[in-house]
């Protein structure tokens, strides 16, 4: 199943697209950070974001869209832009009949690293291992968008088969999780 | 010039459309409150709002769109929905090349009643007088949307011709303004 994750933002909006396979392994399909020009007026920035997001959705045809749940209590300075960017993603999804799931940051961290208190580096490290990415190549917004997509792929819970029955991809995940926990 | 005012909200979004004439008098064209079903998921609610707003814009072809400027500091509980509803309005305007102006609540109050500290009743009363509406017929969100549109029509400042040169519409406005100030 193809999942598109959105880390909503007006200045930088991360978009990560993965395929989730039957063995729960995940594969990178595309990742990008949509940026809008701070010198443009707000309506033009949102329109630019809407157009680029629409192109990505139409090109990669995700079955689900996962968006970070934004809380008004946090980051008052940026919450308006974040809320507005997420609204654009919601409308693009809903107008195409694509289901949207919201995930909190701690839900994403817990899903990807095993702990809701993981820091950015731990999350980035796990995302890199799970998707077999070259190290240090991704912007934080890109990593967060991919983590959201992975969280969504695994939203039914972690792999529960016995260790002996693990596929290579599952073993890789378990090992990466163990490494991340050791670091934390 | 035709102006569409938007009082953004997810549960109730006021939309007021006026014509602003050369003598600075204003005429009601249309007013409505778009509501979305609280039981629907957020993406569907925003899509519903987007579709209804698009229909109104395409039917009435405003030259400008005026939207209330939302501050994250106020009404934390509803600020997310307000920000998201305004994002929908911004994208609809920008995608049609219609300029958008933002006005603060106190700017709107000052423009319509002469004081930035006017209460809801004073604003509603002035809007009713200026647009010659039957009393007590409008929902508050509708009144606020019309007040935004009037504020936008007069954004160049109040009428500055000498009293002797006032048109009947200007005289009506001056008189209504005087009445509102007396009440305040």
């Amino acid at each position: 199943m193809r999942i598109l994750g959105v880390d909503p933002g007006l200045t930088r909006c991360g978009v990560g697209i993965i395929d989730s396979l039957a063995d729960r392994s995940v594969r990178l399909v595309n990742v990008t950070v949509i940026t809008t020009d701070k010198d443009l007026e707000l309506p033009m920035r949102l329109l630019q974001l809407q157009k680029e997001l629409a192109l990505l959705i139409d090109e990669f045809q995700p079955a689900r869209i996962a968006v970070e749940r934004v809380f008004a209590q946090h980051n008052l300075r940026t919450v308006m832009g974040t809320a507005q960017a997420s609204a654009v993603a919601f409308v693009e999804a809903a107008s195409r009949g694509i289901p949207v799931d919201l995930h909190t940051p701690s839900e994403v961290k817990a899903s990807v690293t095993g702990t809701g208190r993981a820091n950015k580096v731990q999350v980035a490290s796990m995302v890199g291992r799970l998707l077999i990415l070259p190290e240090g190549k991704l912007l934080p917004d890109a990593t967060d968008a991919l983590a959201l997509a992975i969280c969504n792929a695994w939203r039914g819970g972690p792999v529960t088969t016995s260790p002996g029955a693990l596929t290579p991809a599952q073993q890789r995940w378990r090992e990466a999780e163990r490494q991340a926990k050791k670091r934390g």
Side-chain angles (χ1 to χ4, degrees), chain A:
Chain A
M1 184 170 66
R2 184 156 294 179
I3 299 164
L4 185 148
V6 180
D7 182 29
L10 192 53
T11 304
R12 288 183 307 279
C13 182
V15 182
I17 306 167
I18 64 166
D19 280 338
S20 164
L21 308 184
D23 65 0
R24 290 196 167 228
S25 67
V26 285
R27 297 275 182 283
L28 176 68
V29 175
N30 192 274
V31 63
T32 188
V33 176
I34 301 171
T35 58
T36 68
D37 186 347
K38 280 186 178 177
D39 294 334
L40 286 179
E41 292 195 355
L42 180 56
M44 289 311 295
R45 296 180 73 180
L46 289 169
L47 178 64
Q48 194 180 328
L49 176 60
Q50 182 260 326
K51 283 184 175 170
E52 295 198 31
L53 198 52
L55 282 177
L56 287 167
I57 295 173
D58 290 339
E59 179 175 354
F60 293 104
Q61 300 279 333
R64 310 188 67 84
I65 292 183
V67 182
E68 187 173 304
R69 188 184 290 277
V70 183
F71 295 101
Q73 292 88 330
H74 305 314
N75 303 324
L76 266 187
R77 205 175 53 82
T78 58
V79 73
M80 300 296 298
T82 309
Q84 290 169 330
S86 68
V88 167
F90 292 155
V91 171
E92 291 311 299
S95 68
R96 290 166 176 80
I98 303 173
V100 176
D101 292 306
L102 299 178
H103 301 292
T104 65
S106 54
E107 197 184 339
V108 173
K109 289 174 189 170
S111 177
V112 174
T113 71
T115 166
R117 295 181 170 193
N119 61 32
K120 289 256 173 205
V121 175
Q122 285 172 301
V123 172
S125 168
M126 278 300 299
V127 167
R129 284 156 188 254
L130 291 164
L131 297 173
I132 317 170
L133 305 175
E135 260 184 65
K137 289 281 183 192
L138 290 177
L139 290 170
D141 306 271
T143 308
D144 289 346
L146 289 170
L148 267 158
I150 296 170
C151 170
N152 190 257
W154 291 344
R155 71 197 181 287
V159 177
T160 52
T161 47
S162 66
L166 290 181
T167 64
Q170 287 170 335
Q171 282 165 21
R172 200 165 60 233
W173 173 52
R174 283 275 166 98
E175 173 58 22
E177 187 178 50
R178 204 174 55 78
Q179 292 287 340
K181 277 183 180 157
K182 259 201 311 204
R183 293 185 180 191

